[in-house]
Amino acid sequence: MVLLLVACIIDHIDIEVIWRPTNSHDSACAYNNKYRMKQPSCMDGFVETVECKTRLLVPALSLTERVPPKVPAFFNPAAKQSRDLSILAYRAFAPRLKKEKTLADGFTGIGARALRVAVEVPEIEQVFANDANPTAIEAARKSAELNGVSGKCRFSVNEVCKFLMKGNDSEERFGIVDLDPFGTPARHVDCVLRAALDDGLVSITATDTAVLCGVYPEVCLRRYYGRPLNNSYGNETALRLLTSLIALTASRLELAIKPVFSHATMHYLRVYAQVSVSSSEANDVYASIGHVMHCFNCGHRLATAEYDGNARCELCQKKLRVGGQLWTGPLHEKGFVAKMKEQAGKDEKSKKVLDAALDEIDDVPYYFKADEISSKLRTNPHSIPKIIEKLRAAGYKASKTSLNFGAFKTDARLDRIIDVLR
Ligand SMILES: C[S@@+](CC[C@H](N)C(=O)[O-])C[C@H]1O[C@@H](n2cnc3c(N)ncnc32)[C@H](O)[C@@H]1O
Ligand SMILES: [Zn+2]
């Protein structure tokens, strides 16, 4: 009867349930009843896996299914690299935290990222992990016990913005705030920014890549206030659209952001940005917001500050398409990326991304794929180091890009690139 009542209440108020240790099992079971899960143990069907140094209780199916199920709880083992990079970023950022060495993970799922922070980033003193799914939180709480970090972890079942607005025990805000939603973070960017301390860090994921890479341009304009480009460097445009949403939202809240590291790994687009409370810096936001114009006829591209819907390609005279408004400033702070790399040890996959980010020229908001150029030259693709060497020898800026290992960045115009490589 009591269980039934709890189930009905939870069904009615859905995700607005606050986690209470004493009835957490009931809440988890009620959630599972809704999806006809087995009783009495709501951890049935969960298995232990180890990611890096952290033991995690995860739904067994999440380790075998191609698309990890959302019920009874979500865990994606393929997101390990994204979490590995998070650990490196939080370790690099922790010394910048002045007082509250806290992390809030609002969409924690089974707690993979939050628990890894608790185990693998000793500088972070307190981790607050929240999810709307009580079963996921039940698993996270048990995993914290397995790892011996229950003392530094606090768990809650709440709607993400309600969780973030409550703050921690002593402060309204957190040192680091992470948001890792299914799909777009657009609805929640305001409350994430509001929840970060002055000089704190926000890390925000977007996985609505079809929208951000141009399959649904009108949805992109609505969610990110900018137009996507469905072309060979669409993931960079996507990352810059996400960054511009965060920057413009921050400026409305009299905050300024500075991206310290960003990456696009598989369908994960992720931005790490330091937040500062400063209306004067917020006023400067438009210095880093502009557009990328692209010619879908010949492949010419350029960055512009202003929007010109009638602009024509200077190489073939066809109409240019507009990407943005989007972030045209740097995507990385080099010193920060170097600190991340120092911590990377034998993690060669992360080091490859970080090396390219360190090399990346940061005033060109697009890249060129080597095979795009070779098809124009009707040759086999040149190697990226060779292309960079030749462009630099001809007096242009050129570098790798962390967003595509088969591509390069340069300030040379497309026709000049062809001349140099012919
Ligand atoms: C992509 S998963 C998080 C994965 C997790 N960060 C990890 O690395 O394993 C998104 C999570 O958000 C939770 N969620 C969805 N909407 C929510 C909301 N409005 N408030 C709180 N949690 C929510 C889901 O239950 C799910 O666990
Ligand atoms: Zn053209």
Side-chain angles (χ1 to χ4, degrees):
M1 183 63 197
V2 173
L3 258 182
L4 192 66
L5 191 64
V6 174
C8 290
I9 292 167
I10 285 167
D11 212 70
H12 181 62
I13 60 175
D14 204 9
I15 54 179
E16 298 187 9
V17 181
I18 312 282
W19 167 261
R20 284 182 195 89
T22 46
N23 68 2
S24 62
H25 183 79
D26 289 352
S27 300
C29 292
Y31 183 90
N32 283 352
N33 280 344
K34 200 168 142 183
Y35 294 99
R36 300 186 200 290
M37 299 295 296
K38 250 170 52 183
Q39 291 280 359
S41 168
C42 294
M43 290 300 104
D44 281 357
F46 278 70
V47 293
E48 186 182 323
T49 187
V50 179
E51 190 170 286
C52 204
K53 294 182 184 155
T54 307
R55 299 168 68 182
L56 298 170
L57 284 173
V58 305
L61 283 178
S62 67
L63 300 180
T64 53
E65 298 284 293
R66 202 177 58 79
V67 179
K70 292 182 179 173
V71 175
F74 182 79
F75 171 70
N76 186 1
K80 175 180 178 292
Q81 198 194 359
S82 160
R83 289 187 286 268
D84 288 345
L85 287 165
S86 285
I87 296 303
L88 298 176
Y90 300 151
R91 276 195 203 140
F93 195 81
R96 295 190 189 184
L97 291 171
K98 288 174 197 141
K99 40 178 186 159
E100 292 285 309
K101 296 198 184 291
T102 50
L103 172 133
D105 181 357
F107 283 160
T108 202
I110 55 89
R113 187 173 273 104
L115 289 163
R116 285 195 57 186
V117 172
V119 174
E120 298 170 34
V121 190
E123 299 89 340
I124 301 296
E125 290 156 2
Q126 190 92 57
V127 169
F128 294 80
N130 174 80
D131 201 278
N133 177 351
T135 306
I137 290 298
E138 175 93 355
R141 193 176 54 77
K142 289 204 156 77
S143 297
E145 283 165 19
L146 283 177
N147 289 285
V149 291
S150 300
K152 67 192 287 193
C153 295
R154 295 280 296 274
F155 298 100
S156 56
V157 177
N158 209 343
E159 196 285 322
V160 63
C161 288
K162 290 185 182 166
F163 156 71
L164 290 173
M165 288 305 118
K166 269 164 60 86
N168 65 49
D169 299 338
S170 58
E171 269 281 349
E172 286 176 354
R173 297 188 170 83
F174 303 92
I176 300 174
V177 184
D178 184 71
L179 191 81
D180 183 31
F182 294 130
T184 181
R187 274 191 297 277
H188 301 113
V189 170
D190 288 63
C191 60
V192 170
L193 288 164
R194 281 177 194 272
L197 280 167
D198 188 13
D199 288 329
L201 182 81
V202 295
S203 48
I204 300 182
T205 312
T207 57
D208 55 337
T209 30
V211 168
L212 279 161
C213 291
V215 182
Y216 307 106
E218 65 296 340
V219 179
C220 187
L221 191 57
R222 165 167 69 72
R223 285 186 187 162
Y224 297 93
Y225 308 139
R227 292 176 169 76
L229 287 172
N230 192 352
N231 63 11
S232 56
Y233 55 91
N235 69 343
E236 175 154 0
T237 305
L239 199 52
R240 291 181 178 281
L241 284 162
L242 170 63
T243 311
S244 99
L245 173 71
I246 302 169
L248 291 169
T249 307
S251 74
R252 179 164 47 74
L253 301 173
E254 314 234 335
L255 303 170
I257 63 145
K258 180 179 186 205
V260 289
F261 175 62
S262 311
H263 69 97
T265 311
M266 301 189 313
H267 64 297
Y268 289 88
L269 300 160
R270 222 163 129 77
V271 176
Y272 295 80
Q274 183 158 356
V275 179
S276 38
V277 179
S278 165
S279 52
S280 62
E281 282 178 46
N283 286 344
D284 291 338
V285 68
Y286 279 101
S288 302
I289 301 286
H291 300 86
V292 171
M293 315 292 283
H294 185 84
C295 176
F296 278 85
N297 184 47
C298 74
H300 174 50
R301 60 209 70 172
L302 73 155
T304 61
E306 300 304 325
Y307 175 90
D308 180 357
N310 293 317
R312 299 220 158 239
C313 174
E314 55 194 318
L315 301 185
C316 75
Q317 309 312 314
K318 289 275 192 277
K319 208 167 164 199
L320 290 169
R321 283 262 290 280
V322 184
Q325 51 186 18
L326 48 71
W327 179 262
T328 51
L331 291 175
H332 318 291
E333 185 193 304
K334 296 289 161 75
F336 185 83
V337 177
K339 287 238 151 29
M340 286 177 70
K341 200 187 148 191
E342 275 168 27
Q343 311 270 350
K346 294 198 175 95
D347 177 357
E348 298 304 328
K349 262 178 129 179
S350 296
K351 277 206 264 193
K352 192 171 175 191
V353 175
L354 298 171
D355 269 331
L358 275 172
D359 186 49
E360 203 160 289
I361 52 178
D362 54 19
D363 55 355
V364 177
Y366 49 74
Y367 59 76
F368 296 87
K369 280 171 72 177
D371 57 12
E372 198 184 335
I373 304 299
S374 63
S375 74
K376 288 187 187 299
L377 287 166
R378 297 183 198 286
T379 60
N380 289 330
H382 294 53
S383 77
I384 300 298
K386 197 87 207 148
I387 295 174
I388 293 170
E389 188 189 313
K390 287 192 169 190
L391 286 166
R392 284 182 182 164
Y396 295 108
K397 288 194 211 170
S399 75
K400 293 188 260 189
T401 168
S402 58
L403 303 179
N404 187 328
F405 296 134
F408 60 95
K409 280 185 174 258
T410 180
D411 60 350
R413 213 172 64 175
L414 179 63
D415 52 337
R416 306 283 182 251
I417 300 172
I418 304 286
D419 287 346
V420 170
L421 299 179
R422 199 183 300 278

